[in-house]
């Protein structure tokens, strides 16, 4: 299944159903112009880092840049508060942290995965705001079957339930197409440290 929002369709699309809300795509939560303005403001302000990870018998570079911001950090970029308000408009939750990914071009990606639940608050959503260029996401059931492909447009929010992390994987595949840079802001409710 391929889901792509049109310029006129602004209704939410349910991709996966479950008792906690499943996976829902909300196009046009903020305008494309606002999404581009936030992208331009955040890119130089965020403390981006690259990482290496072991894969099989070697160490490889993670194919994207990453950052993390605590939402009660007084030094956070002011655009974070506006982005949080936009996300809260479609997925209210007591978010505590935002994880950011910067996909510089079609070579940057993230493999199919599900979020680790050990430090996420139960029954709270994970909400991803897209800024910059559009990019496809794959959503695949862990039990097998075809993946769904959804085009994440700038200004859209993809909301995933805590429960769906046990049943589905999601990822941003590499692309041979010439793609512009995209930033994702993943808002989560982290459990307090024990």
């Amino acid at each position: 299944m391929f889901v792509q929002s049109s310029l006129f369709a602004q209704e939410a699309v349910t991709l996966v159903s479950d008792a906690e809300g499943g996976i829902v795509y909300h196009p046009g939560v903020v305008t494309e112009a606002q999404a581009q303005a936030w992208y331009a403001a955040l890119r130089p302000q965020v403390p981006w880092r690259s990482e290496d990870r072991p894969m099989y018998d070697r160490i490889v570079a993670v194919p994207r840049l990453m950052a993390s911001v605590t939402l009660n950090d007084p030094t956070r970029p002011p655009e974070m508060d506006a982005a949080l308000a936009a996300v809260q408009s479609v997925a209210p939750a007591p978010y505590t942290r935002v994880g950011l990914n910067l996909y510089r071009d079609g070579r940057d990606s993230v493999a199919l995965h599900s979020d680790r639940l050990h430090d996420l608050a139960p029954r709270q959503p994970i909400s991803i705001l897209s800024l910059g260029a559009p990019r496809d996401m794959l959503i695949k059931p862990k039990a097998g079957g075809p993946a769904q492909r959804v085009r994440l447009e700038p200004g859209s929010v993809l909301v995933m339930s805590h429960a769906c992390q046990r049943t589905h994987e999601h990822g941003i595949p590499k692309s041979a197409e010439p793609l512009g840079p995209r930033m994702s802001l993943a808002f989560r409710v982290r459990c307090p440290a024990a």
Side-chain angles (χ1 to χ4, degrees):
M1 174 184 192
F2 179 71
V3 176
Q4 183 172 10
S5 62
S6 77
L7 294 175
F8 304 106
Q10 296 299 313
E11 297 87 29
V13 177
T14 299
L15 304 169
V16 173
S17 296
D18 68 30
E20 293 181 6
I23 302 176
V24 180
Y25 176 69
H26 298 269
V29 174
V30 298
T31 66
E32 185 173 347
Q34 184 64 71
Q36 299 303 350
W38 288 347
Y39 174 90
L42 287 170
R43 186 163 181 178
Q45 292 183 72
V46 170
W48 299 105
R49 69 182 186 282
S50 59
E51 289 186 359
D52 294 327
R53 292 199 178 147
M55 182 175 284
Y56 306 111
D57 59 349
R58 59 193 175 115
I59 303 295
V60 299
V62 172
R64 66 190 176 284
L65 298 179
M66 297 170 287
S68 182
V69 175
T70 303
L71 290 171
N72 65 1
D73 180 348
T75 66
R76 70 190 176 277
E79 293 79 11
M80 289 289 175
D81 294 335
L84 174 61
V87 167
Q88 293 273 19
S89 74
V90 294
Y95 299 105
T96 58
R97 182 172 287 277
V98 59
L100 297 96
N101 286 299
L102 180 60
Y103 302 89
R104 296 160 288 189
D105 57 33
R107 294 171 294 184
D108 281 354
S109 63
V110 62
L112 284 169
H113 68 287
S114 51
D115 284 26
R116 294 184 305 265
L117 298 177
H118 69 278
D119 66 343
L120 295 179
R123 295 174 301 284
Q124 296 295 338
I126 299 159
S127 299
I128 302 171
L129 173 64
S130 291
L131 306 177
R135 194 69 190 261
D136 289 352
M137 175 181 272
L138 297 179
I139 299 169
K140 185 169 176 54
K142 290 183 179 183
Q148 295 182 66
R149 182 179 293 264
V150 59
R151 173 68 48 101
L152 302 176
E153 298 287 341
S156 68
V157 176
L158 184 84
V159 181
M160 300 184 292
S161 71
H162 187 273
C164 82
Q165 301 305 310
R166 292 188 176 92
T167 61
H168 288 76
E169 295 180 310
H170 58 280
I172 303 289
K174 291 184 185 302
S175 175
E177 294 178 46
L179 298 175
R182 171 188 178 257
M183 187 185 302
S184 67
L185 284 68
F187 291 85
R188 296 178 176 91
V189 183
R190 297 277 184 203
C191 296

